[in-house]
Amino acid sequence: MTIINNGVRKMSLMEELEKKALYWEALESEIATDLNLLRDRISGDIKNLLFDDLETKLEYAKNKWLNIDKLKDQFNEFRITSFKRDIEKKIEDIKEKWNVFNTDTTDIFNEYRVLSRIEWIDKEELKRIIDNLDVEIQKWRLLLKIKDIASSWWTSVYNLEDIQLEYSKLKDREIDVSEIEEILFEI
């Protein structure tokens, strides 16, 4: 039944429901396409843009009272998997290159803050993973300083007292410091 009010045609309840159903199908398809695109190996910048875009679409759908729980869960599961993979890649990168420039973890910690707000996520596991990354960065920064002292013939800006203090802190936390000890004993 179409109602005309002041010359303006108002949609019937059936037309409005049909319009919402078509919109939901299109939005669901678009979100699913974006999720599939994320599963392809894409660059970090594009991934972050897609994350932002998907969050916007999911939030919009939620505000329109659309049932998007299943899609949101798939998206969050992908984010968690991607986060873990990014940390593994970062640790490998740090171990391979040994420079201070590859220890920037701003993006990873930003993602950690976003993920830690998800209700059903295992926050203990996330904390353990991020702490492991932090420990690896501390170890490799210390190794970088030691390597700099060894290769600079004692003209390095780093001094052994500071290195000893950092080394002791790591060892007191019962962190494996065997790689550090090997290099220290060679100096």
Side-chain angles (χ1 to χ4, degrees), residues 62-112:
K62 180 181 170 189
N63 289 338
K64 294 294 182 185
W65 298 72
L66 299 174
N67 185 5
I68 47 112
D69 292 339
K70 183 178 173 185
L71 290 171
K72 186 136 180 109
D73 287 346
Q74 288 176 358
F75 174 58
N76 287 331
E77 286 173 16
F78 178 82
R79 279 187 98 152
I80 293 165
T81 303
S82 177
F83 176 74
K84 290 176 183 178
R85 188 175 49 238
D86 288 348
I87 287 181
E88 289 171 6
K89 278 177 46 182
K90 179 57 86 173
I91 290 172
E92 288 173 19
D93 188 42
I94 290 168
K95 288 179 179 181
E96 286 177 12
K97 293 186 183 150
W98 278 43
N99 69 46
V100 79
F101 303 110
N102 68 353
T103 58
D104 178 27
T105 56
T106 306
D107 291 340
I108 289 173
F109 278 95
N110 288 339
E111 184 69 3
Y112 170 70

Side-chain angles (χ1 to χ4, degrees), residues 23-33 67-68 70-71:
Y23 173 75
W24 165 239
E25 287 175 16
L27 183 62
E28 183 180 35
S29 174
E30 193 174 321
I31 291 171
T33 300
N67 185 5
I68 47 112
K70 183 178 173 185
L71 290 171

Side-chain angles (χ1 to χ4, degrees), residues 98 139-140 142-151 154 160 163 167 177-187:
W98 278 43
K139 270 178 36 179
W140 292 98
L142 182 57
L143 280 167
L144 183 64
K145 291 176 184 179
I146 294 168
K147 193 174 182 182
D148 186 64
I149 286 176
S151 65
W154 303 100
L160 282 177
I163 288 174
Y167 166 76
V177 290
S178 57
E179 295 149 331
I180 296 169
E181 290 171 343
E182 287 176 22
I183 296 176
L184 276 175
F185 291 127
E186 290 176 9
I187 296 180

